[in-house]
Amino acid sequence: MNKILYLSQFDLMSSLSEADLMEMDSMTSITTFPKHTTIQTPDTFTEGFYFVKKGKVRLYTLNTEGKQFTVDILGEGNVFGEMNELSLGTRALYIETTEICDICLMDRGRFEQFLVDHPAFMMSMLNVLSERIKQMSEVTQTLALGNLHDKIMHNLCRLAERNGWTKEDGYCRIQSGITHQEIAWMAGASRESVTAAMKELSQAGRIRTSFKSVALHASELEAFR
């Protein structure tokens, strides 16, 4: 497995030269996890930064009744973890794979020195952190104030902005696949209620759906921005 090639495909690594990538490669290990594998619980948290090379992971919490609420779904190129003063807010979360995943783990001590030696990369890390905080604030407001339709549309627009989309006849198809169950986790609702709401949104022309695929009307993304 060519880890240098893997690392070079992360947007976060765009500021690094080939020599820098080779140095980072030497401090990186890649592990393949089967689908529906728990990578972390709040009790098993260990410090480190992880990069999703392949697949998707779900970050979620449990309420006092044991109900799951999905905080985020991260696809290829996304990062999670915490290390000393740098935190992406995942310490208290459950993290599981929703697909077969290749996950890169950075060696803690060497990665900290790497950040000191590469200030441009450090700024990229801070930008990722800032964006994650902004997204979490938006999610909290939507969950507190929005109805189910608002929650669904907010999360779909957020996924489109992060993962990209393909323009199709006035609609923007989200490049990463997503199921009704995953949308339900993110909206804090049942799969059945989300399926009914998605049907209503489709009938209203706000979205188009197919198997594990959703397209948003272009005006929805424009309003989201």
Side-chain angles (χ1 to χ4, degrees):
M1 188 175 296
N2 188 336
K3 291 189 288 185
I4 296 177
L5 175 61
Y6 273 20
L7 289 171
S8 68
Q9 293 174 351
F10 293 123
D11 289 341
L12 190 60
M13 309 297 181
S14 60
S15 63
L16 301 181
S17 66
E18 183 176 351
D20 293 334
L21 287 171
M22 291 181 67
E23 179 182 351
M24 186 170 283
D25 171 65
S26 68
M27 67 180 82
T28 302
S29 61
I30 298 179
T31 303
T32 299
F33 293 92
K35 183 178 180 180
H36 296 318
T37 298
T38 299
I39 299 175
Q40 173 191 295
T41 72
D43 293 332
T44 63
F45 166 83
T46 56
E47 286 195 339
F49 274 114
Y50 301 83
F51 298 90
V52 182
K53 164 53 195 172
K54 176 183 177 182
K56 291 190 298 185
V57 298
R58 181 169 72 99
L59 283 58
Y60 67 95
T61 61
L62 296 177
N63 65 15
T64 55
E65 299 174 349
K67 182 179 180 180
Q68 297 183 6
F69 168 68
T70 295
V71 175
D72 215 342
I73 295 176
L74 305 181
E76 297 176 6
N78 291 140
V79 59
F80 62 92
E82 300 190 15
M83 189 180 297
N84 290 342
E85 288 77 18
L86 285 176
S87 170
L88 294 174
T90 58
R91 179 182 296 269
L93 299 179
Y94 294 83
I95 302 176
E96 72 167 7
T97 62
T98 61
E99 303 174 356
I100 297 175
C101 289
D102 289 336
I103 307 294
C104 298
L105 169 64
M106 294 293 182
D107 176 84
R108 175 180 172 180
R110 296 179 64 186
F111 185 57
E112 289 175 345
Q113 186 59 47
F114 187 88
L115 292 177
V116 173
D117 296 337
H118 297 79
F121 182 78
M122 169 71 86
M123 291 303 300
S124 297
M125 287 289 298
L126 293 177
N127 287 335
V128 169
L129 174 58
S130 176
E131 184 63 25
R132 183 67 55 81
I133 293 173
K134 175 184 175 183
Q135 290 175 356
M136 290 302 300
S137 176
E138 292 173 350
V139 168
T140 300
Q141 293 178 27
T142 301
L143 288 172
L145 303 176
N147 58 34
L148 182 55
H149 289 72
D150 293 335
K151 295 174 185 178
I152 291 172
M153 293 305 299
H154 177 87
N155 282 306
L156 291 176
C157 288
R158 188 160 60 97
L159 288 173
E161 286 289 283
R162 175 190 297 156
N163 299 325
W165 68 85
T166 302
K167 198 73 173 291
E168 299 177 352
D169 189 28
Y171 285 78
C172 303
R173 185 164 300 280
I174 302 173
Q175 290 184 358
S176 61
I178 187 167
T179 66
H180 283 196
Q181 182 60 72
E182 290 172 334
I183 297 171
W185 281 329
M186 297 179 76
S190 68
R191 182 179 60 80
E192 291 77 13
S193 62
V194 164
T195 296
M198 295 278 286
K199 183 177 180 180
E200 294 170 356
L201 289 168
S202 180
Q203 291 172 341
R206 300 179 69 185
I207 63 173
R208 286 179 178 174
T209 62
S210 56
F211 181 67
K212 291 187 178 181
S213 179
V214 180
L216 304 164
H217 194 277
S219 62
E220 298 291 341
L221 275 179
E222 291 173 4
F224 179 76
R225 292 174 172 177

